[in-house]
Amino acid sequence: MGLAILVEQSMGLNPFERAAFAFCNRRRTRMKLLFFDRSGFVLVLKALTQDKFRWPRRAETVVALTAEQLRWLLDGIDIDAMVPHPVRQYRKRVL
């Protein structure tokens, strides 16, 4: 499979990991997701007819995303514009 070879050789990653690898075409109208599910590779294609995916604008070729960020990307949300609330750590005060 061509994308699995691309993951291994160009990205230097293991395509058999527990991860999904996302690829977008130049026009940003198609996105492919590749992952391995213990018995073989699964390839999912999402094609847009009128809109474009808002692909992350990063200097790095490989970007790690959370599952939530991937859902946002598939829904057309610009993940670079999303700023979550900071994670707070609270302690219970004993009186």
Side-chain angles (χ1 to χ4, degrees), residues 7 13-22 33-42 63-67 70:
V7 168
L13 300 171
N14 181 1
F16 300 100
E17 286 181 16
R18 267 187 78 102
F21 302 94
L33 297 177
L34 175 73
F35 62 92
F36 189 78
D37 78 343
R38 295 181 302 173
S39 62
F41 284 102
V42 177
V63 178
L65 302 176
T66 65
L70 179 58

Side-chain angles (χ1 to χ4, degrees), residues 11-83:
M11 298 177 177
L13 300 171
N14 181 1
F16 300 100
E17 286 181 16
R18 267 187 78 102
F21 302 94
F23 302 89
C24 195
N25 67 347
R26 285 188 184 120
R27 294 181 301 167
R28 294 181 291 131
T29 57
R30 292 178 180 237
M31 187 183 310
K32 292 180 182 179
L33 297 177
L34 175 73
F35 62 92
F36 189 78
D37 78 343
R38 295 181 302 173
S39 62
F41 284 102
V42 177
L43 181 64
V44 178
L45 169 69
K46 182 171 183 178
L48 301 177
T49 56
Q50 296 181 1
D51 297 315
K52 294 184 181 225
F53 289 105
R54 298 196 182 349
W55 200 249
R57 294 171 300 277
R58 312 276 172 84
E60 306 90 28
T61 305
V62 178
V63 178
L65 302 176
T66 65
E68 184 177 40
Q69 288 172 320
L70 179 58
R71 281 192 299 274
W72 291 342
L73 194 62
L74 288 167
D75 286 341
I77 297 171
D78 185 352
I79 62 171
D80 288 332
M82 299 296 289
V83 180

